Amino acid sequence: MTDLSVEVGSIKLKNPLMLASGICGYGDGFKEFYSPEKLGAVVTKGISLKPREGNQPPRIAEVNSGMLNSVGLENIGVERFIKEKLPLLIKLKAKVVVNIFGERLNDYVELSERLSKEKGIIAIELNLSCPNVERGAIEFGRDPKTVQELVKEVRSHCKIPLLVKLSAMVSDLVELSRSAIDAGADALTLINTVPAMAIDLKTRRPVLKNIFGGLSGPAIKPIALRAVYIVKKNLGLPVIGVGGISSYEDALEFFIAGADAVQVGSSALVNPYLPLEIIKGIKKFIKINKLKNMGELFKFLRSESRTWL
Amino acid sequence: MREFTVRVISQKALTKDIFLLNLKLEKPFKSLTPGQFFMIKIQDGFEPFLRRPLAWFSYDKNKKSIQFAYKVVGKGTTILAHKKTEEKLNILGPLGKGFSSYLKKEKLLFVAGGAGIFPFFSILENLSEKQKKNSKLIWGVNKKNDLFYINKLKNKLPIYLVTEDGSISKKALATDVVEKILSEDQNDWFIIACGPAEMLKNLANLLEKYKLNGELSMEERMACGFGACLGCAVPSKKGGYLRACKDGPVFRFDEIDWKRVK
């Protein structure tokens, strides 16, 4: 049995494959295909303090090699999540990462404090691509000082490992990442969806009711790879890569760029078995190259990096 | 629900833009409910990226084949219409809740708008004698050439065909015919509807006026088709949204908040 275990900061995973936030419901979205137990982890939909209805439809647009979504962070709120969803996930033996978001700094603190009282959560992923209503609706994750303050506050109220998910559409991703890690985050999740738009020529209007949506899928892989690479190269700290991964080869490319684990999103919507195929592909690659585990795999994959990193 | 590969047996055009795709299954299904759908991967690779949701049209358990009727409306369906015999397709399903409440009712009013007629063929195959005697079907289309398989329908029920451009009898919408029927006899009808959101919305208002119930199939853009991504939102009477792919696509009229349906 090939050992695919990895460590991302203080988080131990049985394999480097996670289901990304937003595509697997509250972590159980793929349970009719396979048990979430087979995956390194599942990341829940973004959870807020209070339930959110989400945006009006249409919420989905197809674009070249990808899709847009303007689901609008629809979720049942933290209390119902803990009461109704978490017990099922624990029963399914899923390794749960809870993605959270808020409108103000204190929301993140309250949420993480609340969740830290529950069992069965291996990490909290902070979605910082949300407008801070207390600071002129500028995204939390755009200002290094805000990132530092927020992560520091959350860290002091919560012992669970923290992942900070950032957008690539920022002025200085390395500086923002540094702020997050300095303030106590365990790892960075790179990247969130890319702000985008689609137009319907037949109706002469935007496809999405919300006009704008987040671009995901193979179209953003090059953007995500760059984000992972520059952060890993400059900070050398744990990074989870996400953005357009559609095959085990894509996952290996992210490992070369510096990712310690990867998440799969949109492509799993089209191919629900993709996460298992990626795990299988990585195992096969390890065997063919006569390696023993993920540590050796990283070393092998990054052996060329010395010449250009 | 499973993911599996099928082979194209044949494909033919029913109208200028409606096609019937006949696919060979390796394994038969235990059961299929009319109105359920499958997510079809149009071709290998990333173009088009998303699967296409298509409701099944007919199913032959003995021959292990399934048929899809669909309208060519964009990139995915255009490519699908060119698929030839022996080509393979990857499909996921069956998915969603189909038409089922009508089974216990005797007096059925079928209302189809355009391509909304598709799920009714299989329902009509299995109506009881009592249902056939007491039910009617209304099919509204844009123009005469949008009609197909009329004889298959005429054999089962009294049918009312109307066109928006008046190429058959006078100009009318399906809902105009519904209004006329209900104004003459409003008792005990159970409505089964499938068609554009505007038609369904007008129907919902009519049903409220006459205090009648029914079920309908709702369409919305889908990404996953199996309830995980929350893309296919349908406004719920209870507030918030339902998922067309998981909580539907067939809903009761009174489940939906029609005021919020655009």
Side-chain angles (χ1 to χ4, degrees):
Chain A
M1 264 272 79
T2 317
D3 177 16
L4 287 192
S5 60
V6 287
E7 279 188 41
V8 180
S10 60
I11 308 164
K12 291 193 174 66
L13 302 171
K14 73 196 258 189
N15 64 57
L17 218 303
M18 306 168 70
L19 275 175
S21 177
I23 59 104
C24 59
Y26 298 94
D28 58 341
F30 286 62
K31 66 177 185 291
E32 284 171 72
F33 298 102
Y34 45 83
S35 167
E37 192 187 358
K38 301 202 168 173
L39 306 175
V42 291
V43 187
T44 68
K45 266 213 72 68
I47 305 287
S48 44
L49 279 176
K50 293 206 194 78
R52 263 179 78 106
E53 262 188 21
N55 289 333
Q56 287 178 53
R59 295 175 169 183
I60 303 286
E62 181 182 76
V63 296
N64 289 336
S65 298
M67 58 177 275
L68 306 187
N69 92 79
S70 60
V71 172
L73 298 170
E74 175 183 333
N75 78 96
I76 52 178
V78 68
E79 289 308 325
R80 273 187 69 191
F81 168 73
I82 290 171
K83 212 179 292 170
E84 295 171 30
K85 303 290 180 183
L86 193 52
L88 170 66
L89 293 170
I90 294 172
K91 200 161 164 213
L92 292 171
K93 297 211 184 87
K95 291 284 185 266
V96 184
V97 175
V98 182
N99 179 299
I100 65 171
F101 69 94
E103 287 181 354
R104 45 186 58 80
L105 196 145
N106 207 52
D107 289 352
Y108 289 87
V109 176
E110 263 194 72
L111 275 163
S112 41
E113 211 175 14
R114 180 70 187 85
L115 290 165
S116 66
K117 300 198 170 85
E118 299 299 318
K119 288 210 178 74
I121 299 173
I122 68 165
I124 289 176
E125 185 178 75
L126 304 176
N127 176 2
L128 298 190
S129 303
C130 303
N132 181 354
V133 303
E134 285 175 336
R135 293 252 174 95
I138 299 201
E139 280 179 24
F140 291 100
R142 279 184 184 253
D143 173 40
K145 277 211 196 83
T146 307
V147 170
Q148 184 166 51
E149 202 189 333
L150 191 154
V151 175
K152 190 162 165 243
E153 276 302 303
V154 168
R155 180 82 283 167
S156 66
H157 286 86
C158 167
K159 297 276 189 299
I160 304 181
L162 291 176
L163 308 173
V164 173
K165 189 167 181 181
L166 295 171
S167 161
M169 199 93 146
V170 293
S171 317
D172 194 335
L173 183 58
V174 175
E175 204 198 342
L176 290 162
S177 302
R178 184 176 290 127
S179 301
I181 296 290
D182 284 349
D186 284 68
L188 299 143
T189 302
L190 304 170
I191 49 170
N192 210 321
T193 55
V194 179
M197 181 177 178
I199 303 230
D200 184 344
L201 185 54
K202 280 199 204 123
T203 61
R204 304 194 297 278
R205 294 158 75 158
V207 174
L208 301 172
K209 184 76 174 77
N210 191 58
I211 303 178
F212 305 117
L215 171 64
S216 62
I220 71 168
K221 190 182 100 173
I223 300 175
L225 276 175
R226 174 188 169 274
V228 167
Y229 170 70
I230 60 172
V231 170
K232 192 50 166 281
K233 174 186 171 180
N234 283 287
L235 302 180
L237 291 159
V239 172
I240 298 174
V242 50
I245 295 175
S246 313
S247 63
Y248 82 90
E249 290 98 336
D250 289 339
L252 295 177
E253 287 175 17
F254 272 81
F255 294 148
I256 294 175
D260 301 283
V262 292
Q263 294 178 0
V264 168
S266 311
S267 292
L269 297 181
V270 181
N271 177 7
Y273 292 100
L274 180 64
L276 299 187
E277 287 172 14
I278 293 178
I279 291 169
K280 203 165 164 199
I282 295 173
K283 278 193 183 151
K284 200 163 164 206
F285 187 87
I286 285 178
K287 277 213 180 97
I288 285 177
N289 289 284
K290 298 192 168 52
L291 305 164
K292 278 206 241 30
N293 51 40
M294 285 301 297
E296 290 191 4
L297 176 64
F298 288 141
K299 200 160 160 216
F300 172 77
L301 288 173
R302 296 167 188 167
S303 63
E304 288 299 304
S305 308
R306 249 168 290 128
T307 62
W308 53 275
L309 245 181
Chain B
M1 165 205 7
R2 31 176 240 261
E3 189 197 14
F4 49 100
T5 308
V6 294
R7 252 186 313 120
V8 177
I9 299 173
S10 62
Q11 177 145 229
K12 72 175 180 193
L14 298 178
T15 71
K16 197 181 67 191
D17 57 3
I18 292 177
F19 287 78
L20 185 66
L21 181 63
N22 189 7
L23 303 172
K24 181 85 185 155
L25 296 162
E26 274 168 46
K27 266 196 318 192
F29 297 106
K30 256 188 275 185
S31 67
L32 287 179
T33 311
Q36 284 191 303
F37 67 101
F38 291 80
M39 290 297 273
I40 317 256
K41 180 96 175 72
I42 297 295
Q43 56 191 9
D44 286 339
F46 301 140
E47 291 300 327
F49 184 62
L50 297 173
R51 290 179 186 255
R52 296 304 190 259
L54 294 182
W56 65 275
F57 179 80
S58 50
Y59 170 55
D60 189 328
K61 195 162 188 172
N62 295 324
K63 290 211 189 105
K64 286 200 272 191
S65 67
I66 188 169
Q67 292 76 44
F68 290 88
Y70 63 96
K71 190 166 163 188
V72 172
V73 293
K75 203 194 316 189
T77 41
T78 299
I79 298 171
L80 193 61
H82 285 90
K83 296 282 176 186
K84 309 253 180 302
T85 306
E86 288 306 308
E87 283 191 62
K88 290 206 175 113
L89 281 172
N90 179 296
I91 75 178
L92 182 66
L95 296 160
K97 292 203 180 112
F99 292 99
S100 56
S101 305
Y102 75 93
L103 290 167
K104 302 193 194 96
K105 312 285 179 187
E106 273 176 18
K107 200 169 160 187
L108 305 170
L109 187 57
F110 292 89
V111 186
I117 192 72
F118 293 159
F120 292 165
F121 283 90
S122 58
I123 293 179
L124 261 44
E125 288 291 318
N126 296 306
L127 290 180
S128 70
E129 287 311 311
K130 245 202 186 132
Q131 286 175 322
K132 284 192 202 165
K133 207 164 61 132
N134 295 306
S135 303
K136 295 185 203 287
L137 183 142
I138 302 164
W139 186 9
V141 292
N142 284 336
K143 52 194 192 301
K144 191 171 84 172
N145 289 337
D146 292 333
L147 298 169
F148 61 93
Y149 282 175
I150 307 294
N151 291 327
K152 279 196 203 227
L153 297 171
K154 278 192 173 146
N155 280 338
K156 305 277 182 335
L157 293 179
I159 66 172
Y160 299 75
L161 300 173
V162 284
T163 55
E164 269 187 72
D165 72 346
S167 41
I168 290 184
S169 62
K170 70 172 166 76
K171 269 192 211 179
L173 297 174
T175 38
D176 296 332
V177 184
V178 174
E179 179 126 49
K180 184 154 188 295
I181 291 175
L182 293 183
S183 64
E184 289 163 9
D185 164 24
Q186 56 177 290
N187 294 318
D188 305 320
W189 286 107
F190 186 80
I191 281 74
I192 301 121
C194 186
E198 204 187 327
M199 180 195 93
L200 296 174
K201 205 169 166 176
N202 293 334
L203 251 185
N205 291 334
L206 272 177
L207 293 194
E208 224 194 291
K209 179 172 155 193
Y210 287 97
K211 305 221 181 336
L212 293 168
N213 285 314
E215 54 183 358
L216 63 119
S217 180
M218 198 68 175
E219 244 188 5
E220 187 48 75
R221 285 172 184 268
M222 290 180 186
C224 71
F226 49 87
C229 74
L230 304 187
C232 58
V234 174
S236 167
K237 239 328 168 12
K238 297 191 180 149
Y241 296 94
L242 297 162
R243 294 162 295 181
C245 69
K246 193 90 175 170
D247 309 308
V250 177
F251 295 96
R252 284 191 331 267
F253 273 92
D254 58 16
E255 278 186 271
I256 296 178
D257 184 0
W258 294 100
K259 276 202 283 292
R260 286 191 285 144
V261 172
K262 297 286 145 49

Short mmCIF file of all heavy atoms in Angstrom, two decimals, chain B residues 19-59:
data_model
loop_
_atom_site.label_atom_id
_atom_site.label_comp_id
_atom_site.label_asym_id
_atom_site.label_seq_id
_atom_site.Cartn_x
_atom_site.Cartn_y
_atom_site.Cartn_z
N PHE B 19 -34.15 16.90 -31.99
CA PHE B 19 -33.54 15.63 -32.37
C PHE B 19 -33.92 14.54 -31.39
O PHE B 19 -34.17 14.80 -30.22
CB PHE B 19 -32.02 15.78 -32.42
CG PHE B 19 -31.56 16.58 -33.61
CD1 PHE B 19 -31.64 17.96 -33.62
CD2 PHE B 19 -31.05 15.93 -34.73
CE1 PHE B 19 -31.24 18.69 -34.73
CE2 PHE B 19 -30.64 16.64 -35.85
CZ PHE B 19 -30.74 18.04 -35.84
N LEU B 20 -33.91 13.32 -31.89
CA LEU B 20 -34.15 12.15 -31.04
C LEU B 20 -32.90 11.29 -31.09
O LEU B 20 -32.51 10.79 -32.15
CB LEU B 20 -35.37 11.36 -31.54
CG LEU B 20 -35.78 10.18 -30.66
CD1 LEU B 20 -36.28 10.67 -29.30
CD2 LEU B 20 -36.89 9.39 -31.35
N LEU B 21 -32.27 11.12 -29.93
CA LEU B 21 -31.01 10.39 -29.83
C LEU B 21 -31.28 9.04 -29.20
O LEU B 21 -31.85 8.96 -28.12
CB LEU B 21 -30.05 11.21 -28.95
CG LEU B 21 -28.64 10.70 -28.70
CD1 LEU B 21 -27.84 10.61 -29.98
CD2 LEU B 21 -27.94 11.62 -27.70
N ASN B 22 -30.88 7.99 -29.87
CA ASN B 22 -31.12 6.62 -29.40
C ASN B 22 -29.80 6.02 -28.93
O ASN B 22 -28.85 5.90 -29.71
CB ASN B 22 -31.72 5.80 -30.55
CG ASN B 22 -32.21 4.43 -30.09
OD1 ASN B 22 -32.21 4.15 -28.89
ND2 ASN B 22 -32.60 3.60 -31.02
N LEU B 23 -29.74 5.65 -27.64
CA LEU B 23 -28.48 5.20 -27.06
C LEU B 23 -28.56 3.77 -26.54
O LEU B 23 -29.57 3.37 -25.96
CB LEU B 23 -28.09 6.12 -25.90
CG LEU B 23 -27.95 7.61 -26.23
CD1 LEU B 23 -27.76 8.42 -24.95
CD2 LEU B 23 -26.77 7.83 -27.16
N LYS B 24 -27.46 3.03 -26.71
CA LYS B 24 -27.40 1.65 -26.24
C LYS B 24 -26.79 1.61 -24.85
O LYS B 24 -25.72 2.16 -24.61
CB LYS B 24 -26.51 0.84 -27.20
CG LYS B 24 -26.40 -0.63 -26.84
CD LYS B 24 -27.55 -1.39 -27.42
CE LYS B 24 -27.52 -2.85 -26.94
NZ LYS B 24 -28.83 -3.45 -26.97
N LEU B 25 -27.51 0.95 -23.93
CA LEU B 25 -27.01 0.80 -22.57
C LEU B 25 -26.34 -0.55 -22.39
O LEU B 25 -26.77 -1.52 -22.97
CB LEU B 25 -28.19 0.86 -21.58
CG LEU B 25 -28.99 2.15 -21.50
CD1 LEU B 25 -30.33 1.86 -20.84
CD2 LEU B 25 -28.22 3.17 -20.68
N GLU B 26 -25.33 -0.56 -21.53
CA GLU B 26 -24.72 -1.87 -21.22
C GLU B 26 -25.55 -2.60 -20.18
O GLU B 26 -25.69 -3.80 -20.21
CB GLU B 26 -23.28 -1.68 -20.74
CG GLU B 26 -22.29 -1.61 -21.89
CD GLU B 26 -20.93 -1.13 -21.41
OE1 GLU B 26 -20.46 -1.63 -20.39
OE2 GLU B 26 -20.36 -0.24 -22.09
N LYS B 27 -26.09 -1.81 -19.22
CA LYS B 27 -26.92 -2.41 -18.18
C LYS B 27 -28.25 -1.67 -18.13
O LYS B 27 -28.27 -0.45 -18.21
CB LYS B 27 -26.23 -2.27 -16.82
CG LYS B 27 -25.41 -3.47 -16.42
CD LYS B 27 -25.04 -3.51 -14.94
CE LYS B 27 -24.62 -2.20 -14.34
NZ LYS B 27 -24.02 -2.38 -13.01
N PRO B 28 -29.35 -2.40 -17.96
CA PRO B 28 -30.65 -1.70 -17.87
C PRO B 28 -30.80 -1.01 -16.51
O PRO B 28 -30.07 -1.32 -15.57
CB PRO B 28 -31.68 -2.84 -18.01
CG PRO B 28 -30.96 -4.04 -17.50
CD PRO B 28 -29.52 -3.87 -17.81
N PHE B 29 -31.77 -0.09 -16.43
CA PHE B 29 -32.08 0.56 -15.16
C PHE B 29 -33.16 -0.22 -14.45
O PHE B 29 -34.00 -0.84 -15.07
CB PHE B 29 -32.61 1.98 -15.40
CG PHE B 29 -31.61 2.88 -16.03
CD1 PHE B 29 -31.74 3.24 -17.35
CD2 PHE B 29 -30.54 3.38 -15.29
CE1 PHE B 29 -30.81 4.07 -17.94
CE2 PHE B 29 -29.62 4.21 -15.88
CZ PHE B 29 -29.75 4.55 -17.21
N LYS B 30 -33.16 -0.11 -13.12
CA LYS B 30 -34.24 -0.76 -12.36
C LYS B 30 -35.54 -0.05 -12.68
O LYS B 30 -36.54 -0.66 -12.97
CB LYS B 30 -33.94 -0.68 -10.86
CG LYS B 30 -33.46 -2.00 -10.31
CD LYS B 30 -33.35 -1.98 -8.81
CE LYS B 30 -31.99 -1.40 -8.46
NZ LYS B 30 -31.70 -1.42 -7.03
N SER B 31 -35.51 1.28 -12.60
CA SER B 31 -36.71 2.04 -12.94
C SER B 31 -36.34 3.46 -13.30
O SER B 31 -35.32 3.97 -12.86
CB SER B 31 -37.69 2.06 -11.77
OG SER B 31 -37.14 2.79 -10.70
N LEU B 32 -37.19 4.07 -14.10
CA LEU B 32 -37.01 5.47 -14.47
C LEU B 32 -38.35 6.17 -14.30
O LEU B 32 -39.38 5.62 -14.70
CB LEU B 32 -36.59 5.60 -15.93
CG LEU B 32 -35.17 5.22 -16.32
CD1 LEU B 32 -34.98 5.40 -17.81
CD2 LEU B 32 -34.14 6.03 -15.56
N THR B 33 -38.32 7.33 -13.71
CA THR B 33 -39.56 8.11 -13.57
C THR B 33 -39.58 9.20 -14.63
O THR B 33 -38.55 9.85 -14.85
CB THR B 33 -39.61 8.76 -12.17
OG1 THR B 33 -39.32 7.78 -11.20
CG2 THR B 33 -40.97 9.36 -11.90
N PRO B 34 -40.71 9.39 -15.31
CA PRO B 34 -40.78 10.48 -16.30
C PRO B 34 -40.41 11.80 -15.65
O PRO B 34 -40.88 12.11 -14.56
CB PRO B 34 -42.25 10.47 -16.74
CG PRO B 34 -42.75 9.11 -16.41
CD PRO B 34 -41.99 8.65 -15.21
N GLY B 35 -39.57 12.59 -16.32
CA GLY B 35 -39.16 13.87 -15.76
C GLY B 35 -37.80 13.81 -15.12
O GLY B 35 -37.18 14.86 -14.87
N GLN B 36 -37.31 12.62 -14.85
CA GLN B 36 -35.94 12.51 -14.38
C GLN B 36 -35.00 12.82 -15.54
O GLN B 36 -35.40 12.75 -16.70
CB GLN B 36 -35.66 11.10 -13.85
CG GLN B 36 -36.25 10.85 -12.47
CD GLN B 36 -35.73 9.55 -11.88
OE1 GLN B 36 -35.88 8.49 -12.48
NE2 GLN B 36 -35.12 9.62 -10.71
N PHE B 37 -33.75 13.14 -15.22
CA PHE B 37 -32.85 13.54 -16.29
C PHE B 37 -31.47 12.93 -16.09
O PHE B 37 -31.21 12.27 -15.07
CB PHE B 37 -32.75 15.07 -16.35
CG PHE B 37 -32.09 15.69 -15.14
CD1 PHE B 37 -30.76 16.10 -15.19
CD2 PHE B 37 -32.79 15.86 -13.96
CE1 PHE B 37 -30.14 16.67 -14.08
CE2 PHE B 37 -32.18 16.42 -12.83
CZ PHE B 37 -30.84 16.82 -12.90
N PHE B 38 -30.64 13.13 -17.09
CA PHE B 38 -29.26 12.66 -17.04
C PHE B 38 -28.35 13.83 -17.38
O PHE B 38 -28.73 14.75 -18.09
CB PHE B 38 -29.03 11.54 -18.07
CG PHE B 38 -29.74 10.25 -17.73
CD1 PHE B 38 -31.10 10.11 -17.99
CD2 PHE B 38 -29.06 9.21 -17.12
CE1 PHE B 38 -31.77 8.93 -17.66
CE2 PHE B 38 -29.72 8.03 -16.79
CZ PHE B 38 -31.07 7.89 -17.06
N MET B 39 -27.13 13.79 -16.83
CA MET B 39 -26.13 14.80 -17.17
C MET B 39 -25.22 14.19 -18.25
O MET B 39 -24.54 13.20 -18.00
CB MET B 39 -25.32 15.22 -15.95
CG MET B 39 -26.10 16.02 -14.92
SD MET B 39 -26.70 17.59 -15.55
CE MET B 39 -25.30 18.66 -15.23
N ILE B 40 -25.24 14.79 -19.42
CA ILE B 40 -24.54 14.23 -20.58
C ILE B 40 -23.23 14.97 -20.83
O ILE B 40 -23.25 16.21 -20.98
CB ILE B 40 -25.41 14.37 -21.85
CG1 ILE B 40 -26.86 14.01 -21.55
CG2 ILE B 40 -24.81 13.59 -23.00
CD1 ILE B 40 -27.33 12.70 -22.02
N LYS B 41 -22.12 14.23 -20.87
CA LYS B 41 -20.84 14.84 -21.24
C LYS B 41 -20.79 14.85 -22.76
O LYS B 41 -20.84 13.80 -23.38
CB LYS B 41 -19.68 14.03 -20.65
CG LYS B 41 -18.31 14.59 -20.97
CD LYS B 41 -17.79 15.47 -19.84
CE LYS B 41 -16.36 15.93 -20.08
NZ LYS B 41 -16.23 16.95 -21.12
N ILE B 42 -20.76 16.04 -23.34
CA ILE B 42 -20.91 16.17 -24.78
C ILE B 42 -19.76 15.53 -25.55
O ILE B 42 -19.96 14.88 -26.56
CB ILE B 42 -21.06 17.66 -25.16
CG1 ILE B 42 -22.33 18.25 -24.53
CG2 ILE B 42 -21.05 17.86 -26.66
CD1 ILE B 42 -23.62 17.66 -25.04
N GLN B 43 -18.54 15.76 -25.08
CA GLN B 43 -17.38 15.12 -25.71
C GLN B 43 -16.21 15.19 -24.76
O GLN B 43 -16.27 15.86 -23.73
CB GLN B 43 -17.03 15.81 -27.04
CG GLN B 43 -16.78 17.29 -26.94
CD GLN B 43 -16.72 17.96 -28.31
OE1 GLN B 43 -17.02 17.36 -29.36
NE2 GLN B 43 -16.29 19.21 -28.34
N ASP B 44 -15.13 14.46 -25.08
CA ASP B 44 -13.93 14.48 -24.24
C ASP B 44 -13.34 15.88 -24.22
O ASP B 44 -13.52 16.67 -25.14
CB ASP B 44 -12.89 13.50 -24.79
CG ASP B 44 -13.30 12.06 -24.51
OD1 ASP B 44 -14.11 11.85 -23.59
OD2 ASP B 44 -12.81 11.17 -25.23
N GLY B 45 -12.60 16.17 -23.17
CA GLY B 45 -11.90 17.45 -23.11
C GLY B 45 -12.71 18.50 -22.36
O GLY B 45 -13.70 18.19 -21.70
N PHE B 46 -12.31 19.74 -22.48
CA PHE B 46 -12.91 20.81 -21.69
C PHE B 46 -13.93 21.64 -22.46
O PHE B 46 -14.44 22.62 -21.93
CB PHE B 46 -11.82 21.75 -21.17
CG PHE B 46 -10.80 21.08 -20.31
CD1 PHE B 46 -9.46 21.41 -20.40
CD2 PHE B 46 -11.18 20.10 -19.40
CE1 PHE B 46 -8.51 20.79 -19.60
CE2 PHE B 46 -10.23 19.47 -18.60
CZ PHE B 46 -8.90 19.83 -18.70
N GLU B 47 -14.19 21.31 -23.71
CA GLU B 47 -15.15 22.09 -24.49
C GLU B 47 -16.27 21.22 -25.02
O GLU B 47 -16.02 20.31 -25.79
CB GLU B 47 -14.44 22.77 -25.67
CG GLU B 47 -13.48 23.87 -25.26
CD GLU B 47 -14.15 24.99 -24.49
OE1 GLU B 47 -15.31 25.30 -24.75
OE2 GLU B 47 -13.49 25.54 -23.59
N PRO B 48 -17.52 21.47 -24.70
CA PRO B 48 -17.92 22.43 -23.67
C PRO B 48 -17.59 21.91 -22.27
O PRO B 48 -17.47 20.70 -22.10
CB PRO B 48 -19.43 22.56 -23.87
CG PRO B 48 -19.85 21.31 -24.56
CD PRO B 48 -18.66 20.77 -25.29
N PHE B 49 -17.42 22.78 -21.28
CA PHE B 49 -16.92 22.36 -19.98
C PHE B 49 -17.94 21.55 -19.20
O PHE B 49 -17.65 20.51 -18.64
CB PHE B 49 -16.49 23.59 -19.16
CG PHE B 49 -15.88 23.23 -17.83
CD1 PHE B 49 -14.71 22.49 -17.77
CD2 PHE B 49 -16.47 23.62 -16.65
CE1 PHE B 49 -14.13 22.15 -16.55
CE2 PHE B 49 -15.91 23.29 -15.42
CZ PHE B 49 -14.74 22.54 -15.37
N LEU B 50 -19.17 22.06 -19.13
CA LEU B 50 -20.18 21.42 -18.29
C LEU B 50 -20.96 20.36 -19.03
O LEU B 50 -21.11 20.42 -20.25
CB LEU B 50 -21.15 22.49 -17.75
CG LEU B 50 -20.54 23.55 -16.84
CD1 LEU B 50 -21.58 24.63 -16.53
CD2 LEU B 50 -20.03 22.93 -15.55
N ARG B 51 -21.48 19.42 -18.28
CA ARG B 51 -22.41 18.44 -18.87
C ARG B 51 -23.71 19.16 -19.21
O ARG B 51 -23.96 20.27 -18.76
CB ARG B 51 -22.69 17.32 -17.87
CG ARG B 51 -21.50 16.41 -17.62
CD ARG B 51 -21.85 15.34 -16.60
NE ARG B 51 -20.70 14.54 -16.24
CZ ARG B 51 -20.49 13.29 -16.65
NH1 ARG B 51 -21.37 12.69 -17.45
NH2 ARG B 51 -19.42 12.63 -16.27
N ARG B 52 -24.52 18.52 -20.00
CA ARG B 52 -25.83 19.06 -20.37
C ARG B 52 -26.93 18.20 -19.74
O ARG B 52 -26.92 16.98 -19.88
CB ARG B 52 -26.01 19.07 -21.89
CG ARG B 52 -25.06 19.99 -22.65
CD ARG B 52 -25.16 21.40 -22.15
NE ARG B 52 -24.46 22.37 -22.97
CZ ARG B 52 -23.28 22.88 -22.68
NH1 ARG B 52 -22.62 22.48 -21.60
NH2 ARG B 52 -22.75 23.81 -23.47
N PRO B 53 -27.89 18.83 -19.04
CA PRO B 53 -28.98 18.07 -18.45
C PRO B 53 -30.08 17.80 -19.49
O PRO B 53 -30.62 18.73 -20.07
CB PRO B 53 -29.53 18.99 -17.35
CG PRO B 53 -29.09 20.38 -17.72
CD PRO B 53 -27.99 20.27 -18.73
N LEU B 54 -30.37 16.54 -19.71
CA LEU B 54 -31.45 16.19 -20.63
C LEU B 54 -32.37 15.17 -19.96
O LEU B 54 -31.89 14.18 -19.40
CB LEU B 54 -30.91 15.57 -21.92
CG LEU B 54 -30.08 16.44 -22.86
CD1 LEU B 54 -29.71 15.65 -24.10
CD2 LEU B 54 -30.85 17.68 -23.28
N ALA B 55 -33.69 15.42 -20.03
CA ALA B 55 -34.64 14.45 -19.50
C ALA B 55 -34.77 13.29 -20.49
O ALA B 55 -34.70 13.49 -21.69
CB ALA B 55 -36.01 15.11 -19.28
N TRP B 56 -34.98 12.08 -19.98
CA TRP B 56 -35.12 10.94 -20.90
C TRP B 56 -36.49 10.99 -21.56
O TRP B 56 -37.47 11.47 -20.99
CB TRP B 56 -34.91 9.63 -20.16
CG TRP B 56 -35.92 9.32 -19.10
CD1 TRP B 56 -35.92 9.74 -17.81
CD2 TRP B 56 -37.10 8.51 -19.26
NE1 TRP B 56 -37.01 9.25 -17.15
CE2 TRP B 56 -37.75 8.49 -18.01
CE3 TRP B 56 -37.65 7.80 -20.33
CZ2 TRP B 56 -38.93 7.79 -17.80
CZ3 TRP B 56 -38.84 7.10 -20.12
CH2 TRP B 56 -39.46 7.10 -18.86
N PHE B 57 -36.55 10.51 -22.78
CA PHE B 57 -37.76 10.57 -23.57
C PHE B 57 -38.49 9.23 -23.57
O PHE B 57 -39.68 9.15 -23.30
CB PHE B 57 -37.40 10.98 -25.00
CG PHE B 57 -38.56 11.06 -25.94
CD1 PHE B 57 -39.38 12.18 -25.94
CD2 PHE B 57 -38.83 10.04 -26.84
CE1 PHE B 57 -40.45 12.26 -26.82
CE2 PHE B 57 -39.91 10.12 -27.72
CZ PHE B 57 -40.71 11.24 -27.71
N SER B 58 -37.75 8.17 -23.84
CA SER B 58 -38.34 6.83 -23.81
C SER B 58 -37.24 5.84 -23.45
O SER B 58 -36.06 6.13 -23.57
CB SER B 58 -38.97 6.48 -25.16
OG SER B 58 -38.06 6.73 -26.21
N TYR B 59 -37.67 4.68 -23.00
CA TYR B 59 -36.72 3.70 -22.47
C TYR B 59 -37.22 2.31 -22.82
O TYR B 59 -38.38 2.00 -22.58
CB TYR B 59 -36.61 3.89 -20.96
CG TYR B 59 -35.85 2.81 -20.22
CD1 TYR B 59 -34.55 2.46 -20.58
CD2 TYR B 59 -36.43 2.13 -19.15
CE1 TYR B 59 -33.86 1.47 -19.90
CE2 TYR B 59 -35.75 1.15 -18.45
CZ TYR B 59 -34.46 0.83 -18.84
OH TYR B 59 -33.78 -0.14 -18.15
#
